[in-house]
Every structure is written in C-alpha cells, then in structure tokens.
Amino acid sequence: MKIIPRNDLKVDITIADIEAMRERVKNWGKWGPEDQIGTLNYVGEAEIKAARDCIRKGKVISLGLPFDKDGPQRGGQGRFNPIHTMLATGTDAVTGVQDTKTAPDMVEGQLMCRYADDMVSLPLQCGTQWDSLAHIFANDKMWNGYDAILVDANGAKKNGIQNTRDKMCGRGVLLDIPRWLGGDVLEDGYGIGNDELDACAAAQGVEIRRGDFVIVRTGMMERCLAEGAWGGYAGGDAPG
C-alpha cells in the first residue's frame, strides 16, 4: 500500500478566521426564511435526470461500512461502538420458550412460527453519516438563522434530516485523490485544496455541475480496514 505523505498545505486557522469566512460565504435566506435544506435546493428534475443518463453498467457498488464492537469508534466524546443485543434467539425457539410465551393454549403437534429478533444501540456519529443542517451551530444559530435551542432532547425542530428525504438523489462525482497522485492512500494530515480537486477532476475527465454530489476518496477507510485499527477515523487527524 503506497501512502502519499503529508503535504505542506497547512495554515494556522483561528476561530476568528472561521467566523470571518462564515460571514463571507454564508447564504442564509437565499431560499427564503423558512428554508431547511440549503444547497439541496439545487437538486431538481433536470439534475436527477442527468444522474439517470450517466448509468452505463448495471453494477452495484456498496458504500457500506461494518459497524460492530470492533469499530469504528475510539470512545471519545462519549461515543461507543455499536452494541448488538439479541431479543430472541434460535435457542429460545428450539427449547420451546417461545411456544409457552406466545401460545400457551396451543394444540399438541400444531406448527408454530418461531423467530429470532434483535436490536442495535449506537451513536449516530458512529463513523460516516449524513449530517443534517441542525448538526453544527454558528454560536447560537444554525442554518438559515434558526435558534440552536430548537434542537432539544426530543430532536431537531428545524433543519432535521427528514427534510432531505426526497432530495438526496443526483449525479455522484468521485474524485480519487491518492490514485491521481500515484498512490493508494493519503497520510493522515494530508491537506486537499481546491486546486487539487480541480486538477483531479480534469485528469479524470469528469465535470462537476450544480446539484452534483462530490465524493472525495482519501483511502483512509481501506487502510484502517486492512490494518484492523481505526485510529482517528471517527474523530481525529485525517486526510482531507
């Protein structure tokens, strides 16, 4: 596995720098005071049809990641690896436990429907996920100027992920940065700038259009899976 070493694309960024950039690029109110999906407004019928027209092969590629007791969390910020609990097992079925619980008046020889059942408990920040616009606050506000207190113990009253349910569909554009640079994976801490994204897209012969979903590959997931250690995958120094 060839690792592309860290580059020198590093600057000292302060909170003041982030706040100044936020004020310069934010577009709160662009789609009205009631908007809750932001730039997903750019995904319309034309963009979805364009995604359909890109299909050349009937091949399915899974983007799933195994979530189990071994990863990908490190235990920081109160996050833990998924906990899988069996509520009903094959042992319950063959020993007759389910028969006595579900049908105490069953007739001898009657065919029963036996089953297995389970549950999973996990933090929703367990590795990769779709973050809603209620995830990050600018001081005491979130996207479009909604108060942060609208996210309480019962969930998000504004900017919840459910608002995107019919919008997460469009052209997917993959930019494979390490392979473009001649390697397999970027070292943790490698900084990717806009110029590299543009150059990679040009070299791969892909065009990024309004409403596209851009996927930037760094190789970190493959490296962690190969090494059997997650390191900073779910929170820490990482390529990108």
Side-chain angles (χ1 to χ4, degrees):
M1 180 178 290
K2 182 179 179 181
I3 298 178
I4 304 296
R6 295 186 184 211
N7 54 14
D8 58 0
L9 187 61
K10 287 189 175 183
V11 293
D12 293 326
I13 299 177
T14 67
I15 292 297
D17 294 327
I18 293 175
E19 291 181 344
M21 180 176 64
R22 183 182 68 224
E23 291 303 313
R24 186 173 67 253
V25 303
K26 79 176 183 181
N27 51 15
W28 292 2
K30 181 172 182 176
W31 291 280
E34 301 300 320
D35 182 69
Q36 297 185 60
I37 62 173
T39 53
L40 283 177
N41 282 286
Y42 286 136
V43 179
E45 290 188 12
E47 286 72 28
I48 295 173
K49 289 179 180 178
R52 174 205 61 192
D53 295 339
C54 290
I55 299 174
R56 299 178 182 177
K57 299 179 180 179
K59 185 177 181 180
V60 177
I61 300 175
S62 172
L63 298 181
L65 175 68
F67 282 4
D68 55 32
K69 61 183 179 59
D70 298 318
Q73 300 286 28
R74 296 188 306 165
Q77 297 177 300
R79 299 170 185 162
F80 52 86
N81 283 324
I83 299 173
H84 182 210
T85 304
M86 294 302 300
L87 302 178
T89 67
T91 304
D92 298 330
V94 300
T95 57
V97 172
Q98 295 173 355
D99 299 347
T100 57
K101 285 186 176 181
T102 59
D105 57 346
M106 65 176 290
V107 178
E108 184 177 357
Q110 181 178 350
L111 180 63
M112 291 297 299
C113 178
R114 301 185 175 100
Y115 60 93
D117 201 4
D118 55 354
M119 63 176 284
V120 175
S121 301
L122 74 161
L124 294 182
Q125 280 280 15
C126 189
T128 58
Q129 77 287 322
W130 293 113
D131 278 330
S132 77
L133 294 177
H135 179 49
I136 294 295
F137 305 131
N139 298 321
D140 59 352
K141 302 291 184 182
M142 54 180 162
W143 160 254
N144 222 23
Y146 293 115
D147 286 335
I149 60 174
L150 290 172
V151 182
D152 58 24
N154 294 314
K157 302 299 186 298
K158 293 291 185 179
N159 293 336
I161 196 70
Q162 71 276 7
N163 294 296
T164 71
R165 64 185 180 274
D166 60 347
K167 289 293 184 179
M168 305 297 285
C169 181
R171 287 200 335 145
V173 180
L174 172 65
L175 299 182
D176 194 334
I177 300 297
R179 288 182 180 170
W180 169 64
L181 293 172
D184 301 304
V185 58
L186 303 180
E187 183 181 0
D188 289 353
Y190 186 102
I192 301 174
N194 288 335
D195 290 343
E196 286 187 302
L197 295 174
D198 290 339
C200 180
Q204 292 180 179
V206 296
E207 176 189 4
I208 299 175
R209 307 171 188 168
R210 189 181 76 172
D212 286 347
F213 295 81
V214 181
I215 303 170
V216 180
R217 179 183 174 272
T218 67
M220 188 183 189
M221 182 190 297
E222 294 97 321
R223 191 200 73 212
C224 290
L225 288 170
E227 295 176 350
W230 289 102
Y233 182 83
D237 202 8

